[in-house]
Amino acid sequence: MTFKTKLLLITILPLIAVSLLIGGATYYQSLELINAQTHSVEQRILSSKRQEIRNYVSLALTSIEQIYNEEPGGREAAQDRVRDILQHLTFDYDGYYFVYTLDGTNIVHPKLPHLVGGNWWDLQDDNGDHVIRNLITAARNGGGFHQYVWNKPSTGTVEEKLGYAILLDKWGWMLGTGLYTDDIAREVAAIRADFARSIRQTLLVTFMITLAAIIIAGSLIAGVRFSEQRFADSKLKELTNRIFQVQEQERKRVSTELHDSISQLLVSVRYGVEMIHSEANRDPDLQVQAAKCLKTLDGTIAEVRRISRDLRPSVLDDMGLASALVSLGKEFQNQSGITVNVSAEQCRSRLSEGAKTALYRVVQECMTNVARHAQASEVSISLKVGLQTLVLTVEDDGVGLPRPLPKSGGLGFRNMRERIETYGGKLTLSRKSSGGTRIKVQMPLDNAVANAA
């Protein structure tokens, strides 16, 4: 596991854990709050309905009180008048009064007339509750409420109902009424839906905050990582540039030593052997041996000069980049037999010595690759100097690059690119449409020198 991955896990996992804990705690606390609030609302509505039912019962008692107490025309006539009043005394659409005798016989029911005259003492609702029996019991106990399910006239469905019954003791009647409570269920459901929506919104906000925190943390980590990467890259480029500089310095030193010391010593030895050769006329064997030594020394001197030139061409320091490229092209053509066309413009002092060396080494590496891999018959080297940019192009007519085109190339290509990037340039590798390979270098020039000229 990489350090970046560990850092991400250390940063993000606690955020996710805290968010989950907050979300879970919020969810369960919200559920408890919903239950408490809905229970409170339900009890408040039931209390309101109980008071409303009591008021309706008081209204009925007020309507029949005088007749009940005085019994004008006799008890039977008074009871008939009371039944008639209660039969027509309704409220709302589903509000009505009902009357049962204490043995469970119905004598008043405006909404369900088929019940009148029947004994319903053993009547049970859908939940198995003995409705009439329990209402009569509540009335006998001084009046009270009873919850049951009953047919709702307006909808024809069976709904929850809260009934209230009192006892008309003198006549042995149970007088009752009630209100349906299905609206309480709807209101409670609406409250639960509102709370559920609030919970979802809260959880969504928590999720969005967590996501934003994760994105911010990830961005910061990526930014730090990118900054560290850039810093490391810059240090690596500095180190690479320093390595190249040290290499060039060492090559220049060794080249100078070879050219000025070893080569001169070999030339001196050659003069001595040549003298021996000229003085050995009387000894043919010695003359032959001296001739062989002269030939070997000539080859050695040529090899030392070649090595010295490869390490650090003196023409690059003495004549400039353009002349060095022309010399490199001629030498490569002589050694490989591949035709080399060089078109190079003088950049004079608008390039640093390091940049000139980098460009020369790029061309040198390209020529080595052509000789090893390209199977080319012709190479073109072009050096054009513009107002602000120098463009170096090396093209061949060989087999070209493999498919697919390598993204980074080999070690040689990376070294070339790093050399060029050290001086602010850009190196691109491409495949020619007609076959072969093209390497193009663009490098900025020092315009201050041009303006001064």
Side-chain angles (χ1 to χ4, degrees):
M1 186 179 294
T2 64
F3 175 75
K4 182 179 179 182
T5 304
K6 292 180 180 178
L7 186 60
L8 282 172
L9 292 177
I10 293 173
T11 306
I12 292 175
L13 285 181
L15 286 174
I16 296 175
V18 170
S19 300
L20 290 175
L21 289 175
I22 292 174
T26 302
Y27 178 75
Y28 287 111
Q29 288 180 354
S30 299
L31 287 182
E32 292 181 359
L33 180 61
I34 288 174
N35 293 330
Q37 289 292 329
T38 51
H39 179 72
S40 175
V41 169
E42 189 173 7
Q43 292 303 314
R44 187 170 62 251
I45 296 174
L46 282 174
S47 177
S48 175
K49 284 187 177 293
R50 288 189 183 99
Q51 185 59 45
E52 187 178 357
I53 292 172
R54 289 192 185 98
N55 292 336
Y56 286 134
V57 170
S58 298
L59 175 64
L61 289 176
T62 301
S63 301
I64 66 172
E65 183 178 13
Q66 184 178 1
I67 301 174
Y68 176 75
N69 291 330
E70 298 178 1
E71 295 183 350
R75 175 167 293 187
E76 186 175 347
Q79 289 179 343
D80 289 340
R81 289 185 61 187
V82 168
R83 280 197 296 266
D84 185 63
I85 291 172
L86 295 176
Q87 182 73 24
H88 295 89
L89 187 63
T90 59
F91 52 91
D92 293 335
Y93 189 81
D94 295 311
Y96 59 90
Y97 297 91
F98 50 85
V99 179
Y100 288 82
T101 62
L102 296 183
D103 64 352
T105 302
N106 182 270
I107 57 176
V108 175
H109 204 298
K111 298 297 184 180
L112 299 174
H114 65 277
L115 297 180
V116 178
N119 186 282
W120 307 103
W121 178 262
D122 294 323
L123 177 67
Q124 296 182 24
D125 65 7
D126 292 347
N127 296 327
D129 181 74
H130 290 85
V131 177
I132 307 305
R133 187 184 304 179
N134 289 328
L135 285 171
I136 292 173
T137 300
R140 285 180 180 275
N141 292 332
F145 292 95
H146 181 63
Q147 190 102 20
Y148 56 96
V149 294
W150 197 260
N151 180 268
K152 188 174 183 179
S154 61
T155 61
T157 58
V158 176
E159 303 289 350
E160 289 279 345
K161 186 173 184 178
L162 179 63
Y164 183 75
I166 61 171
L167 182 64
L168 299 179
D169 187 57
K170 186 170 63 174
W171 290 356
W173 286 4
M174 180 271 288
L175 170 64
T177 187
L179 291 174
Y180 291 92
T181 59
D182 54 312
D183 57 333
I184 298 178
R186 287 195 298 271
E187 188 166 348
V188 169
I191 293 173
R192 285 186 176 274
D194 289 339
F195 272 107
R197 185 164 51 253
S198 298
I199 292 174
R200 287 195 298 270
Q201 290 175 352
T202 302
L203 294 178
L204 179 61
V205 170
T206 303
F207 171 75
M208 295 302 294
I209 292 174
T210 303
L211 182 61
I214 291 173
I215 292 174
I216 291 172
S219 300
L220 291 175
I221 293 172
V224 171
R225 182 67 177 173
F226 180 71
S227 177
E228 291 178 349
Q229 187 69 39
R230 289 185 61 184
F231 179 75
D233 289 344
S234 65
K235 289 299 181 182
L236 184 60
K237 286 183 179 180
E238 290 178 6
L239 178 61
T240 302
N241 186 35
R242 180 59 182 161
I243 291 173
F244 287 151
Q245 290 176 353
V246 171
Q247 285 178 345
E248 291 299 331
Q249 291 172 1
E250 187 63 18
R251 283 182 173 188
K252 188 174 183 179
R253 186 188 68 80
V254 174
S255 175
T256 302
E257 290 292 333
L258 288 173
H259 185 271
D260 296 341
S261 179
I262 304 299
S263 181
Q264 296 302 323
L265 289 174
L266 290 173
V267 169
S268 298
V269 172
R270 187 187 187 285
Y271 287 152
V273 174
E274 188 175 4
M275 185 177 297
I276 293 174
H277 179 270
S278 61
E279 295 293 333
N281 294 328
R282 291 170 296 197
D283 190 344
D285 293 335
L286 180 62
Q287 192 174 32
V288 171
Q289 190 65 32
K292 289 181 180 180
C293 290
L294 283 174
K295 185 176 180 182
T296 302
L297 281 172
D298 288 339
T300 303
I301 292 171
E303 184 66 15
V304 168
R305 288 177 177 174
R306 184 192 66 78
I307 293 173
S308 174
R309 187 170 55 252
D310 288 343
L311 286 172
R312 180 71 183 184
S314 59
V315 66
L316 180 62
D317 297 321
D318 300 336
M319 303 296 294
L321 179 61
S323 300
L325 293 180
V326 172
S327 175
L328 177 62
K330 288 180 179 179
E331 183 180 356
F332 179 81
Q333 181 172 306
N334 294 333
Q335 291 179 354
S336 64
I338 300 173
T339 302
V340 179
N341 301 313
V342 181
S343 172
E345 299 177 0
Q346 293 286 346
C347 55
R348 304 190 187 281
S349 58
R350 297 178 66 188
L351 275 178
S352 65
E353 292 301 319
K356 291 179 182 178
T357 301
L359 291 170
Y360 181 85
R361 294 303 182 194
V362 166
V363 176
Q364 201 173 35
E365 180 69 21
C366 290
M367 304 307 285
T368 301
N369 290 336
V370 168
R372 290 178 178 175
H373 311 295
Q375 302 178 21
S377 60
E378 186 175 354
V379 180
S380 297
I381 302 173
S382 171
L383 179 67
K384 295 183 179 180
V385 181
L387 294 177
Q388 297 180 338
T389 307
L390 174 147
V391 179
L392 171 67
T393 306
V394 180
E395 298 178 337
D396 65 69
D397 60 352
V399 296
L401 296 169
R403 294 180 183 272
L405 189 67
K407 294 182 178 180
S408 58
L411 181 61
F413 178 74
R414 282 201 300 273
N415 288 339
M416 288 191 290
R417 184 176 60 188
E418 289 175 359
R419 281 180 181 271
I420 297 303
E421 289 178 351
T422 300
Y423 299 96
K426 179 181 178 183
L427 187 146
T428 56
L429 177 67
S430 61
R431 185 188 299 108
K432 294 170 58 179
S433 58
S434 58
T437 303
R438 176 187 293 112
I439 292 179
K440 183 178 181 181
V441 177
Q442 294 175 291
M443 185 173 289
L445 294 169
D446 185 358
N447 292 315
V449 177
N451 293 334

